[in-house]
Each structure stands twice: as C-alpha cells, then as structure tokens.
Amino acid sequence: MVTTKEIPLKEYVLKGNAACAGCQDMVALRHAHKALEGDVIQVVPACCTSVVQSLWPKSGLAVPILNTAFMASAATASGVKAALKAKGNDHTMVMVWAGDGGTFDIGLQALSGALERRTDFLYICYNNQVYSNTGTQRSSATPLHAQTTTTWFGKTEPEKMLDMIIAAHEPVYQFTANTSYPRDLFDKFKKAQEFEGPKFGHIFLPCPQAWNYPVEKGVEIGKLGVETGYWIQWERVGDEFTLGKHSKRFQDPEKRKPIDEFLKMQGRFSHLYRPKRNDKKIREIEDFIQHRWDMLIRTFT
Amino acid sequence: MKTELMSANYAASRAVVSARVEVVAAYPITPATTVPEQIALLNEQGIYKGQFIRVESEHSAMFACIGASSTGARAFTATSSNGLLLMDEGLHWAAAARLPIVLNNVNRSVSPSWNIHVTHDDSYSKRDTGWIQFYVASVDELYHTIIQSFKLAEDERVLMPVMVNSDGFVLSHTVSPYDHLEPEEVDKFLPPYTPPHWVMDPENPVSHGNIVFPEHYSEFRNMMHEGTKNALPVYTEIEKEYKKLFGKYFGGPIDCYKCDDADVVFTSQGSMGAEAKDAIDELREEGYKAGNARMRMIRPFPVDKIRELGSKVKAFASFDRGVSYGFGGPVANDIRSTMYHMKHRPMIKSYIGGLGGRDMAIPDIKAVILDTFKAVESGELGPEETWNDLKD
Ligand SMILES: Cc1ncc(C[n+]2csc(CCOP(=O)(O)OP(=O)(O)O)c2C)c(N)n1
Ligand code: SF4
Ligand SMILES: [Mg+2]
C-alpha cells in the first residue's frame, strides 16, 4: 500500500468549494485525483458533487468537469470517450463521479448500457445511501430501517445489492472503497488506470448531514462500518476476487463489533433505540449483513 | 457531385459521412431506424470513419452526443416520435450548453394510439427548447440541409443545435435522386469543428453545466435566444455560399412559389409543401391568384419574411400537420401573432390535417386554398381552425 509520504502533494480539490463541514466526498475526490494526477475528464450528474464544485463562475476542482443530467452520466461519458477516440487521444481517463441515486436508481440503465458496450471508462458511485442533494430522501441504497424524509419511520426494505448487478456486466476491474481508508482508496484509483475497458468503483461515504452525526465522526463511522461487517472492502480483477485486508477478519461474525456501535452514532437510526432497543429490527439489520456476506462470498469465490 | 438514388434515411446517413461527423449515437425507432442501420453499415465498411455508439436509449443517444460535442467532436443523431420525446431533457441541455449537435427527426405520430406515420406533433412539442428547426420536402433537400446545418450550428454567432425534420415514410422510405458530395468536396464549405466557447480538455480544465444563481441566469437565457435568432441572417450567408460552391439552393427559411402577386398564400411544413406547388399551378390555371410558402424554418421563426409576405396578401391558408391541443395550429398561430402589430392584417385561416399519415393529395390542398378564397370573399374568418377531412 502507498505510504502517506508517497501521495502527491498537488491538490485537485480546490479551496473554497461548497461542501459541508466533514464531507467525506471531498476526502474521496481528493485522494482519487491525487492518484489520477490530472489527465482525466470527470462527468458529474446531479448530486452533491455537482453542487459543491460548480458554483459559477468558480470551479471547485482542478480537472475538466462536465456536469450532466441526473440519469445520463454513463451515456455522457460514452460520448466524451468516443470524442477522445475520434481525436486520437488514448490516454485521458474518463471518469464518472455519481451518487447512489444517480447510480442505483435513475442512472442504472445508462450505466448498464455503457458497461455492456465495454466503454473504456471508470464509473465511481460514491454512496452516501440517500439523496442528499434534495434533502435526504430514500434511495435504493438506503439501508433497512434508516430514516429519511420519504421513510419517516424507517425504510422497510434493505438496500439493493448493486455490486452484483455490476459484476454481471463483467467489468475489467471492480472495487469497493471507504473514505476511512484513503491510502487503500488511492491505490485502487492508481490500479484502475492500468486497465482498458469498463471499471467500476463503489465508495462508502458517511454523510454527516443525512446520517445525522457530529461532523468530526466521519472516519470513525466509516471504520465502524467495516468493523461491524456492515461494509465489505473487496476488489475484483476480471473474475479474480480479493477480500480486502481491512475486511478479512470480519468475515467471521464472531470477530465483528456489535452493530449497535455503528447504528447508535447516527441520528437516522435513533428510533431503533427509543424508547428502548428494538431487538427485532436490529436483528433484521444483522441478518441482512450476514446475507450480504454470504451472497458475496458464494458468488465471487 | 454525383447523383444517387436513395431514400431520405439512406441519404441522411451519407450526409453524416460527407460532413465528416466524428461521433454518432443513435437508437432505432420506426421510421428513423434505417439511419442508424446505415451508419452502422458504413462504419463497419470503413466508409464512415467516426465513432458510432450503439446506445441503449434515445435519452442516452442525446447525452452521448452532448458528451462528444462537449469534448469538441462533431456529433449527430437521428430519431422519431417517442424517441424524440425521451430525449427531451437532453434537447434542453444541448441548447443551453450551446452544443452544435445536428439531429434528423423523422417525423412520426406520438402515441397512443401507436401510429408510425407522419404527424409533426413530435417536433412541434420541442419548439421551445432552443433548437433550430428545419422541415424539408425532398431527399435532396434533406441531404444538403444536414450538411448546411453543421455550418449553421457551429457558427460562433449561433452555436445552437439544429433539428432537421423529414416526414416519416413519405420521405424516409421513398427512393428519389439526390446530389451527393464527397467529404473532400464538402471540406471547401465546412471546416473541422473547433469549439469557440469551451471544451473538455485536461490541458485547460474548465467546468461546464454549473450552478448559476438568479443574478446571472437570465443573461445566459438571453444569449440562447439571440443565438437562435441569429440563425436567420447566418443561414442566408450559408445558403449563398452553398449555392456558389455547389449550385444548390432551397429557398431560404421560407421557400416561396408564385407569392408575389398572390391573394391567398398556402403555408405548410414538410413534404406537403412540394405537393402544394402543383396545387398552385392548377389553381392558377383556374384563375385563382394563389401562392405557396413552404415553411422550411420555424425556429427561429422567420418573422420578417412572414411580415413581408403578409403585407401583400389578402389571406394565409396555413396548414399544420399537428396540433397545439387547446389552441390549434402551431405555425398558423405563430403567423397570427407575427402579423398582429402590422398595419395590414390579412385573414389567417388555420387548417389541421394529414395527421397519422393521412394522405394530403393535390385535390385536398386545393380544397383548403379554395376554402380560404371563399372566406376572403365573404369577409368572415369562420372557425378558429378547421380540421380538414374530419369524419363524423
Ligand atoms: C430527472 C431528475 N429528477 C430529479 C432530480 C432531482 N435530484 C437532483 S440530485 C437528486 C438526488 C441525488 O442523490 P444521489 O445521487 O444519491 O447524490 P447525493 O445528492 O446524495 O450526493 C435528485 C433527486 C434531477 N436533478 N433530475
Ligand atoms: S450533504 Fe453529505 S455528501 Fe453532500 S456535501 Fe454535505 S456532507 Fe457531503
Ligand atoms: Mg446519495
């Protein structure tokens, strides 16, 4: 893994952008661009990222950004890539940076199309598990029992296992990452540069606004996500699957921290503890976590 | 230049080659389907040398064109009806982003009921997107108008996308001659596209599609409006040059036939305008001073030209192959509002018909024009709009 000293000093996430305090999206973008080092065109659909970097006449990132419509980022990227090809440019990376809403929900068709066409691009879904831009409505990435402004008493369905859908498209490289492990994230972006063809990265990204936790706790929550087994770090080159070193020990349910440590820090789950712990609902969350592990390991190994 | 025999769709795909388009993204829909089919074939044969993205929807087709044009490539797509409707978000986007994309819309009725034949409702419903809109009457006109449209769209004074409309089946699947130009010939007219405003380029990073607050939003919208309006004078220059280089001229934004001394002028969009010339000839022989104004461009609306025509005639017989539901004939009503402030206001009769591909033959067109002559004689406008050939 890259050492902190080896990470380039140049900043591509510029000062004075409009992100909230404690925004983990900026952590992800910062390390992604340090890895890609500038030769990239970034496509951004409607989402938090489109707001924070694009307050005209300023530009929030030191790379070319093409903001596009909510459901159209993979299609837009296909066009950018085709134009680069037509002009004989085979080195510039085309990268989509889309939220979970723009990926799991409204943008899924365009994404499926671009993957199937073997588009040479990197699609990043930064997953804050909610429509943050529009004020915290549910997405199909919102976890079971999380409160949003369209699920006031908690969501009644678990999240879509998007990674399985993506894997069925057989990208050349697929990974999950987490902003609490920025060096690992950096390495995965570096690695993504090595492959030609469709690449997909799924980044777990705590959002203090939507999840309702103190802004300085983002890294802690991200780590608890992994340590409770809730979020799984892994990557896949072709069909060669590697369980991430941060997640390895938590494959064993015995070694996982109690899910309460993760849930209790977040306002969106506070109803699970009021007036007293809702054992049934928390059990359901634990069952889903195990189900996801089983699905992942059964499918990929 | 060499004469070829082809359908409008086949010719449109050849125009893409002639204009050295760099990226095409398109999705099949009757009757536009043979455009992407032919582009695929030309691409696989190495004749079309650009990229062809076989997208999974029309929404993606338009946004792939947006991505390509934003990266400095000349981009093209073709569609019809429901496909055009699915593109809607992208149509607005392309116009506001000032991307000179060219789209061949093969006019088809909108569902339900399913009907694959011509109605202009699909493109009429996009009049307010900012796209420049042409309607053509022949295979030859379609081929050359597509080539001209790139020059028009890419002109720095315009920088707006162009939709070239051609009637489904009547043109799209009917073989007739057109004069083909090789890319080397078109080069004299159409230089490579170099974006004068902004482009995605890592050497010079800019962001586009940003958030603009109320203090500045109107200014951007005003620039779009001015850009679209500039298409009228710029197109006049383009046609002049095109005529000089290739001897081709299709009549400007309004192709007038025997309008100079006419009492009644018939207006229409699309292929019907060619048919109407014969109707005018017959009426002239019967002693009626009738003229034909084929509306080639309806956005921007050729206001000056309509006022000039309107200052001389007793009435317009304005035919729409589509409807603004609850208001009437879209172009007829545009002509009415164009004439409102004029000293001399001719009678403007509105006719709606030919919907869903119903035939509008020469006798039908004559009947419409004669109906207007009757109204002029009686001095009564009659109904706000007349649905032609409507069954009980
Ligand atoms: C077609 C369309 N529908 C709805 C919206 C409104 N909208 C903008 S962003 C957004 C949610 C974005 O959620 P996500 O992709 O998860 O990104 P986040 O805001 O959480 O970063 C919605 C619903 C839109 N811009 N376009
Ligand atoms: S709402 Fe969340 S994801 Fe969006 S900018 Fe704020 S902290 Fe970042
Ligand atoms: Mg989100």
Side-chain angles (χ1 to χ4, degrees):
Chain A
M1 195 179 296
V2 69
T3 63
T4 306
K5 245 174 66 187
E6 287 163 343
I7 295 181
L9 289 173
K10 179 161 179 181
E11 298 293 347
Y12 296 87
V13 176
L14 304 175
K15 287 178 186 162
N17 71 57
C20 309
C23 178
Q24 295 292 303
D25 187 27
M26 296 304 108
V27 178
L29 277 167
R30 184 166 177 247
H31 291 86
H33 282 296
K34 281 172 181 281
L36 299 177
E37 295 190 272
D39 191 12
V40 55
I41 294 171
Q42 182 173 326
V43 175
V44 182
C47 59
C48 272
T49 307
S50 65
V51 177
V52 302
Q53 51 71 28
S54 87
L55 298 180
W56 188 85
K58 294 190 220 166
S59 290
L61 296 178
V63 295
I65 303 279
L66 186 56
N67 292 292
T68 191
F70 196 18
M71 67 183 283
S73 43
T76 308
S78 299
V80 173
K81 187 68 205 181
L84 291 174
K85 254 193 188 167
K87 294 183 179 302
N89 174 335
D90 58 4
H91 52 84
T92 298
M93 159 88 86
V94 179
M95 174 170 75
V96 170
W97 196 273
D100 47 298
T103 306
F104 284 61
D105 295 337
I106 199 166
L108 187 56
Q109 174 182 316
L111 170 57
S112 174
L115 292 173
E116 185 272 338
R117 291 189 301 270
R118 311 306 292 166
T119 309
D120 179 20
F121 78 141
L122 171 60
Y123 189 108
I124 297 300
C125 171
Y126 70 95
N127 184 359
N128 57 13
Q129 305 194 318
V130 73
Y131 296 173
S132 276
N133 173 300
T134 37
T136 330
Q137 298 79 29
R138 98 194 274 278
S139 77
S140 59
T142 301
L144 184 64
H145 300 315
Q147 263 179 334
T148 69
T149 58
T150 48
T151 57
W152 293 89
F153 296 97
K155 188 168 173 251
T156 47
E157 308 81 21
E159 60 222 69
K160 185 188 283 180
M161 288 198 228
L162 180 78
D163 295 321
M164 303 288 172
I165 299 173
I166 301 302
H169 292 78
E170 306 189 72
V172 287
Y173 180 49
Q174 183 176 0
F175 65 86
T176 67
N178 180 323
T179 49
S180 299
Y181 307 93
R183 289 188 296 135
D184 173 70
L185 188 145
F186 177 95
D187 279 349
K188 283 167 174 163
F189 278 84
K190 269 268 177 258
K191 195 161 172 180
Q193 277 182 314
E194 293 165 17
F195 301 100
E196 199 186 317
K199 300 163 279 286
F200 185 87
H202 186 181
I203 304 178
F204 182 71
L205 201 138
C207 165
Q209 288 295 319
W211 299 13
N212 195 3
Y213 63 79
V215 292
E216 70 280 8
K217 297 284 185 203
V219 174
E220 207 173 308
I221 291 188
K223 282 203 167 136
L224 280 169
V226 169
E227 290 162 4
T228 55
Y230 174 73
W231 179 260
I232 310 169
Q233 297 274 83
W234 56 269
E235 63 184 323
R236 201 164 175 252
V237 177
D239 55 12
E240 202 171 302
F241 173 84
T242 315
L243 188 57
K245 76 169 197 167
H246 300 113
S247 278
K248 224 173 226 155
R249 35 186 310 243
F250 306 109
Q251 188 175 355
D252 178 357
E254 297 296 311
K255 301 225 167 77
R256 294 177 199 160
K257 290 189 174 167
I259 191 64
D260 303 81
E261 290 190 26
F262 177 64
L263 300 177
K264 267 187 166 165
M265 287 183 76
Q266 306 172 42
R268 62 178 175 157
F269 292 115
S270 58
H271 63 292
L272 296 178
Y273 296 91
R274 274 201 313 253
K276 63 177 184 45
R277 191 180 190 276
N278 188 327
D279 296 339
K280 182 173 166 280
K281 286 188 173 172
I282 291 168
R283 178 89 242 157
E284 284 167 4
I285 293 173
E286 287 171 333
D287 288 347
F288 176 75
I289 291 171
Q290 189 52 44
H291 175 60
R292 177 151 61 190
W293 271 99
D294 294 343
M295 286 286 289
L296 188 78
I297 301 299
R298 210 184 313 137
T299 310
F300 291 147
T301 59
Chain B
M1 192 147 72
K2 191 172 146 228
T3 304
E4 304 268 8
L5 258 181
M6 272 183 209
S7 69
N9 284 0
Y10 278 50
S13 58
R14 268 71 191 175
V16 165
V17 178
S18 303
R20 295 196 196 277
V21 169
E22 292 164 290
V23 176
V24 177
Y27 189 80
I29 179 169
T30 308
T33 303
T34 52
V35 182
E37 279 180 1
Q38 282 297 301
I39 286 168
L41 178 65
L42 294 166
N43 190 212
E44 288 168 33
Q45 289 172 333
I47 297 167
Y48 165 57
K49 295 183 169 54
Q51 300 287 313
F52 178 40
I53 315 178
R54 292 156 177 85
V55 284
E56 81 301 328
S57 75
E58 290 88 351
H59 193 277
S60 286
M62 184 43 61
F63 275 97
C65 286
I66 286 167
S69 187
S70 301
T71 314
R74 183 169 289 155
F76 174 88
T77 187
T79 191
S80 295
S81 178
N82 297 52
L84 188 71
L85 306 188
L86 191 58
M87 281 182 184
D88 195 48
E89 190 183 27
L91 296 176
H92 286 267
W93 196 287
R98 312 297 300 270
L99 297 172
I101 297 162
V102 174
L103 183 164
N104 176 201
N105 180 54
V106 185
N107 289 106
R108 161 183 159 174
S109 313
V110 165
S111 324
S113 358
W114 289 112
N115 177 311
I116 56 175
H117 302 282
V118 57
T119 303
H120 292 155
D121 280 351
D122 52 2
S123 50
Y124 276 171
S125 76
K126 306 300 164 221
R127 281 172 301 156
D128 295 343
T129 55
W131 282 65
I132 292 157
Q133 282 204 22
F134 283 105
Y135 289 78
V136 300
S138 72
V139 172
D140 192 52
E141 187 184 352
L142 175 66
Y143 171 84
H144 293 286
T145 305
I146 288 174
I147 295 172
Q148 294 176 341
S149 291
F150 283 107
K151 179 110 169 186
L152 179 63
E154 292 167 12
D155 191 288
E156 193 169 354
R157 294 162 290 177
V158 177
L159 278 174
M160 292 298 276
V162 179
M163 184 184 301
V164 186
N165 292 286
S166 50
D167 288 350
F169 292 103
V170 181
L171 293 176
S172 67
H173 288 65
T174 307
V175 172
S176 69
Y178 81 93
D179 292 322
H180 181 86
L181 296 169
E182 290 303 324
E184 294 72 24
E185 294 174 272
V186 176
D187 286 344
K188 286 181 281 182
F189 167 73
L190 186 65
Y193 173 48
T194 42
H197 47 350
W198 57 274
V199 68
M200 287 294 115
D201 176 11
E203 301 290 321
N204 177 27
V206 296
S207 54
H208 188 270
N210 292 28
I211 290 173
V212 171
F213 289 110
E215 302 91 284
H216 297 289
Y217 188 81
S218 296
E219 284 65 28
F220 283 110
R221 293 284 141 173
N222 175 257
M223 286 190 274
M224 283 171 71
H225 183 52
E226 294 301 323
T228 298
K229 283 201 301 188
N230 284 345
L232 278 163
V234 172
Y235 187 60
T236 304
E237 289 173 23
I238 286 174
E239 270 199 308
K240 217 183 250 168
E241 188 190 353
Y242 207 83
K243 189 174 176 190
K244 212 168 97 196
L245 284 170
F246 308 119
K248 288 274 166 192
Y249 178 70
F250 298 101
I254 306 179
D255 177 25
C256 290
Y257 180 67
K258 298 191 178 169
C259 288
D260 286 344
D261 65 337
D263 288 332
V264 171
V265 162
F266 177 78
T267 75
S268 68
Q269 295 66 243
S271 58
M272 203 196 296
E275 218 96 56
K277 281 190 183 174
D278 293 336
I280 298 298
D281 284 342
E282 288 185 20
L283 285 168
R284 286 264 171 182
E285 258 169 49
E286 291 162 26
Y288 293 96
K289 281 170 132 187
N292 182 41
R294 189 165 66 84
M295 304 292 291
R296 293 190 65 229
M297 200 192 247
I298 68 158
R299 280 297 179 275
F301 199 70
V303 169
D304 292 344
K305 185 78 197 170
I306 283 289
R307 285 183 179 160
E308 186 196 315
L309 266 177
S311 70
K312 293 183 291 194
V313 301
K314 292 191 173 131
F316 284 107
S318 183
F319 198 95
D320 277 286
R321 209 162 195 162
V323 194
S324 173
Y325 296 88
F327 194 40
V331 176
N333 281 327
D334 280 351
I335 296 175
R336 284 172 174 165
S337 46
T338 298
M339 293 310 298
Y340 181 79
H341 290 289
M342 297 296 100
K343 264 206 193 78
H344 168 68
R345 282 190 294 186
M347 183 182 277
I348 300 163
K349 292 277 289 172
S350 166
Y351 298 89
I352 290 167
L355 307 186
R358 191 179 293 185
D359 224 16
M360 278 299 295
I362 293 164
D364 305 302
I365 298 171
K366 278 174 74 180
V368 162
I369 299 171
L370 286 172
D371 184 64
T372 298
F373 270 105
K374 244 198 308 192
V376 170
E377 228 163 85
S378 71
E380 295 290 324
L381 175 71
E384 201 69 38
E385 78 267 337
T386 306
W387 282 64
N388 190 62
D389 192 22
L390 194 66
K391 298 187 181 91
D392 293 329

